[in-house]
């Protein structure tokens, strides 16, 4: 029996980036509510980084994931 892709862990840099960005947004909102209102700037930073990534393709988190050995969607498809 095969698992749906919904239940699998992110195995490509693109999916891992969305998971990481979502986690950072949720974490920054929680920190803003329960620790200090200044943590709202972390949410702003994450959003700005996602926005500029859409246009430039540059993302420091993706660079780190690549160094850790994760493959891109294209590399995953090409290796099949």
């Amino acid at each position: 029996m095969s698992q749906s892709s919904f239940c699998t862990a992110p195995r490509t840099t693109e999916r891992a980036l969305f998971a990481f960005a979502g986690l950072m947004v949720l974490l920054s909102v929680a920190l803003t509510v329960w620790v200090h209102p200044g943590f709202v700037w972390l949410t702003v930073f994450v959003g700005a980084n996602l926005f500029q990534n859409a246009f430039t393709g540059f993302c420091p988190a993706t660079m780190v994931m690549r160094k850790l050995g994760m493959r891109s969607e294209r590399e995953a498809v090409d290796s099949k």
Side-chain angles (χ1 to χ4, degrees):
M1 184 173 187
S2 66
Q3 285 185 325
S4 71
S5 62
F6 179 76
C7 297
T8 59
R11 294 187 179 141
T12 62
T13 55
E14 291 84 357
R15 289 187 65 190
L17 178 64
F18 288 130
F20 180 70
L23 175 68
M24 291 304 295
V25 167
L26 292 173
L27 177 66
S28 65
V29 169
L31 289 170
T32 299
V33 170
W34 290 307
V35 178
H36 190 274
F39 278 107
V40 73
W41 289 106
L42 180 57
T43 309
V44 172
F45 173 75
V46 172
N49 195 9
L50 286 169
F51 185 73
Q52 69 83 25
N53 183 25
F55 293 100
T56 65
F58 174 74
C59 181
T62 302
M63 293 169 47
V64 171
M65 291 174 199
R66 297 285 307 211
K67 291 206 183 275
L68 293 173
M70 292 188 89
R71 298 181 302 171
S72 69
E73 294 273 344
R74 173 176 237 149
E75 292 170 336
V77 169
D78 288 345
S79 68
K80 289 184 179 183

